Amino acid sequence: MSDGSAEEPKAPELSGIDLARQALVAAKEQARARGAAAQQKKQARRGGLRSGARADGRDPLPLGAAINRLITERGWETPAAVGGVMGRWPQLVGPEVAQHCEPQRYDEDARVLTVQCDSTAWATQLRLLAPQLVRRLNQDLGQGTVKLIKVLGPGGPARRYGPLRAPGSTGPGDTYG
């Protein structure tokens, strides 16, 4: 290329069979468009859509298919998947951990799963297992579904404020964390 002009690569010329394929595809699309237009005219003359022998969007669906369609149309795939995880919690974390720790809620915007434990010891244990659990959940639900697991310690009795307390009342039974 000593002459300084850049040669542009040319598109390969189509052979007879390629031209025939393109013509066939174009003819099919035109026929489909004419058929759809004729069908619309026919339906307009008859007074709108009517039920017929062929399936259309108004036919009844099995319950599972209808729910899946609703989930997809509304964009609820992630919350539904996380809800499934909450139902399968014992299989994901094991029966011993599931006995002491239970998922409470999932924040879809922050992608945070909140888990409540029944003691501070189990809360500490779950905090140590959190990175592995996040990895396992993301494998099951899709990458990036859960970014963080927020571990809550045990909830205690309602706090009583003020100097007066009922006789015989007990203080906190467990540490809070």
Side-chain angles (χ1 to χ4, degrees), residues 2-119:
S2 59
D3 63 348
S5 64
E7 292 183 27
E8 293 182 21
K10 293 182 179 179
E13 293 194 23
L14 298 176
S15 66
I17 195 156
D18 292 329
L19 289 171
R21 280 191 189 125
Q22 283 184 348
L24 179 63
V25 168
K28 283 183 178 180
E29 287 176 10
Q30 289 172 354
R32 194 174 299 121
R34 280 192 310 268
Q39 182 69 22
Q40 287 175 349
K41 282 182 183 178
K42 187 176 178 183
Q43 286 176 351
R45 278 194 309 261
R46 288 191 314 196
L49 286 175
R50 304 246 172 142
S51 183
R54 293 191 178 92
D56 62 12
R58 298 170 296 139
D59 287 344
L61 293 173
L63 182 61
I67 289 173
N68 287 338
R69 187 164 129 188
L70 179 67
I71 287 171
T72 303
E73 287 173 356
R74 301 285 170 102
W76 294 340
E77 289 91 356
T78 301
V82 172
V85 164
M86 290 186 180
R88 294 181 294 127
W89 183 252
Q91 290 87 12
L92 291 171
V93 297
E96 190 175 8
V97 175
Q99 186 177 0
H100 298 282
C101 305
E102 96 178 65
Q104 296 294 312
R105 64 187 160 276
Y106 174 71
D107 182 5
E108 188 176 355
D109 296 330
R111 300 186 186 275
V112 175
L113 178 66
T114 304
V115 179
Q116 176 94 39
C117 297
D118 62 3
S119 71

Side-chain angles (χ1 to χ4, degrees), residues 159-173:
R159 302 254 180 179
R160 297 185 182 117
Y161 297 101
L164 300 177
R165 299 192 56 137
S169 68
T170 59

